[in-house]
Amino acid sequence: MSKVSYRNPTEVDIKHITDVINSSKKEIPHYQKEREEVIRAWTFDDSDFNPNNYWVATLNDKIVGYGGARISKCRKNAETNGGLITIEVVPEHRGNSIEHGLMELAISHLKSKYIEFARQYTSQTVGWKHDLAMGYGFEDVRHYYTMSWNKQNKMNYFEVPSNISLEYHNFKTVDKKIAALFLDVLNETFSESFNHSNTSLETFMKWKD
């Protein structure tokens, strides 16, 4: 039987990591595939990303899993001492201890940095990723809901009150000054939300791009 091995990722792995993420999430309703440039933006191009905190699982020299733990500067600055764990495994290789190996590496790393708690997002309340988290002692604390338009009924558009004026800005092309104004509103809006920490302008510009 072939042995699974784990190593830290390098930039040349981006395509394979993207393939693993898309394969791992393809069962999620309404999931849209991520592009390599998006995965790169959230990994090696992101100042919060440290490849020593992440691992790829290889089997017969093929990457079949990806996972690790992110420790964000904005959360440390907000004195929110938590890490975000990511685990993705291609469907055909789940149940072969790979997801457990990645989870244990991620948790061990957070412990070594004296991180007080960990979060993991799952898109469904059933399934392998949910069961994995529950098995390691995570608690189900918050749900998000997705709604899709079937395009059969006409959408109701919001009528702007007469005392409010709106300006149109193409979010893709706005400069940092406009983006900073939007970010201030965004951070203020979610200031009292669960587990919130302010997003930095640097991170926000990556979202924008």
Side-chain angles (χ1 to χ4, degrees):
M1 180 180 293
S2 299
K3 183 178 179 180
V4 178
S5 61
Y6 301 89
R7 63 171 174 80
N8 298 121
T10 65
E11 292 196 49
V12 298
D13 296 322
I14 285 292
K15 180 184 184 306
H16 301 296
I17 291 172
T18 304
D19 290 342
V20 167
I21 291 172
N22 286 330
S23 177
S24 178
K25 293 184 175 183
K26 67 182 181 181
E27 302 151 324
I28 300 172
H30 312 296
Y31 175 70
Q32 295 182 341
K33 285 187 176 181
E34 297 286 9
R35 304 187 309 277
E36 286 181 42
E37 54 266 34
V38 173
I39 300 302
R40 179 180 293 278
W42 284 107
T43 53
F44 291 95
D45 289 348
D46 190 333
S47 61
D48 275 337
F49 179 79
N50 183 346
N52 294 323
N53 302 0
Y54 285 80
W55 293 266
V56 292
T58 62
L59 185 64
N60 297 325
D61 296 323
K62 181 180 180 180
I63 295 176
V64 296
Y66 168 75
R70 175 181 292 262
I71 304 172
S72 300
K73 295 182 183 70
C74 65
R75 291 192 171 276
K76 293 181 70 175
N77 293 338
E79 299 182 353
T80 304
N81 192 19
L84 176 62
I85 290 180
T86 297
I87 306 291
E88 303 294 350
V89 180
V90 297
E92 58 268 29
H93 290 292
R94 293 177 198 151
N96 191 28
S97 79
I98 294 174
E99 56 267 43
H100 295 278
L102 291 168
M103 178 67 84
E104 289 172 10
L105 286 167
I107 291 175
S108 294
H109 176 76
L110 292 178
K111 286 182 177 179
S112 73
K113 298 298 181 180
Y114 301 100
I115 301 300
E116 295 176 356
F117 67 92
R119 295 171 295 128
Q120 182 188 8
Y121 295 133
T122 65
S123 299
Q124 297 172 293
T125 55
V126 295
W128 72 276
K129 194 177 290 186
H130 178 270
D131 294 344
L132 177 68
M134 296 297 102
Y136 276 87
F138 285 78
E139 296 180 4
D140 190 347
V141 297
R142 195 179 189 193
H143 293 165
Y144 292 91
Y145 297 89
T146 300
M147 180 175 64
S148 61
W149 179 36
N150 59 18
K151 300 183 180 181
Q152 295 179 359
N153 300 316
K154 185 177 180 180
M155 294 185 68
N156 294 322
Y157 290 93
F158 172 72
E159 292 187 8
V160 180
S162 59
N163 63 332
I164 296 177
S165 61
L166 300 179
E167 294 182 7
Y168 173 78
H169 294 274
N170 187 324
F171 193 58
K172 185 75 174 178
T173 58
V174 295
D175 58 23
K176 278 192 174 183
K177 182 179 179 180
I178 298 296
L181 291 173
F182 186 92
L183 178 60
D184 286 343
V185 174
L186 181 68
N187 282 329
E188 179 65 24
T189 299
F190 288 94
S191 61
E192 297 180 358
S193 295
F194 172 81
N195 203 30
H196 172 76
S197 63
N198 284 349
T199 300
S200 67
L201 183 58
E202 176 192 10
T203 299
F204 188 68
M205 293 301 288
K206 290 183 181 298
W207 288 356
K208 180 185 78 69
D209 295 337

